[in-house]
Amino acid sequence: GHVLEIASGSGCHVEHFAPNFPKLQWQPSEYVQDASVLKDINAVVSSIPNIRPAVALDASATWEDWPSEVRELEGKFTAVYLSNVTHISPWKVTCGILAGAGHALENGGLLIVYGPFKVDGEFTTQSNADFDANLRSRNAEWGYRDIDDIVAEASKCGLLFQSKKAMPANNFL
């Protein structure tokens, strides 16, 4: 199977996951304006045989504009994984990820989203509300997303919500 990681950042997650799931082929990606970011990810993961070279991905783009390395595996990804993306990007990025996952995932595949969210329209802690205000002060398009809004958008893309798991530091999986 194949796993697409969206917004790989430094490559630390794929560097950890790939050796622990050696039967899966991992595809890191990152939104880049400078290709050196991809080189940095590749330098971190180059010695791990089940990781493909990182690709540039603007997740807000339509599926047709996603990298060919991803599109050529349409419907063949076992999972799409992202961590700490939805609150530090515009809503259109979350929508693009959901639409892209709808194309990328095989039947029964998993979209795994980790990060801080609102639940039933409410922040789970005051520190989350404070951080959301800080994010929105830096960029009005950023901020915590409500899980219900993500689930509603995901359903438009043929994705079915399975579960929510509370994680440390007021995050959810």
Side-chain angles (χ1 to χ4, degrees):
H2 300 272
V3 178
L4 171 62
E5 181 183 25
I6 296 177
S8 298
S10 67
C12 66
H13 292 125
V14 73
E15 178 185 28
H16 174 77
F17 290 140
N20 289 291
F21 297 95
K23 293 184 179 180
L24 295 172
Q25 290 294 310
W26 294 78
Q27 177 62 72
S29 70
E30 183 59 55
Y31 177 74
V32 298
Q33 296 177 344
D34 177 0
S36 68
V37 172
L38 298 178
K39 291 177 187 176
D40 292 344
I41 295 170
N42 290 332
V44 169
V45 301
S46 63
S47 65
I48 305 171
N50 60 326
I51 301 178
R52 298 173 74 181
V55 295
L57 171 61
D58 176 355
S60 70
T62 63
W63 175 254
E64 293 75 22
D65 292 327
W66 280 35
S68 61
E69 296 90 341
V70 174
R71 285 184 289 110
E72 70 189 15
L73 294 170
E74 182 172 7
K76 296 180 182 172
F77 282 91
T78 303
V80 174
Y81 168 78
L82 56 137
S83 176
N84 290 318
V85 174
T86 62
H87 63 295
I88 56 169
S89 59
W91 174 245
K92 68 181 178 179
V93 171
T94 299
C95 294
I97 289 168
L98 298 171
H103 285 279
L105 289 168
E106 65 191 19
N107 190 25
L110 298 174
L111 171 62
I112 303 165
V113 183
Y114 173 87
F117 301 95
K118 290 194 276 184
V119 178
D120 299 323
E122 301 292 329
F123 294 102
T124 58
T125 64
Q126 183 59 47
S127 63
N128 278 3
D130 294 344
F131 186 49
D132 176 78
N134 177 282
L135 290 172
R136 291 178 188 278
S137 74
R138 290 189 265 164
N139 186 325
E141 293 187 272
W142 292 4
Y144 282 36
R145 311 299 175 198
D146 193 283
I147 290 174
D148 289 341
D149 294 337
I150 294 172
V151 168
E153 189 66 29
S155 70
K156 296 176 190 175
C157 305
L159 302 172
L160 177 64
F161 179 73
Q162 290 187 349
S163 67
K164 168 185 75 180
K165 179 174 174 59
M167 300 296 285
N170 306 311
N171 288 302
F172 291 93
L173 184 65

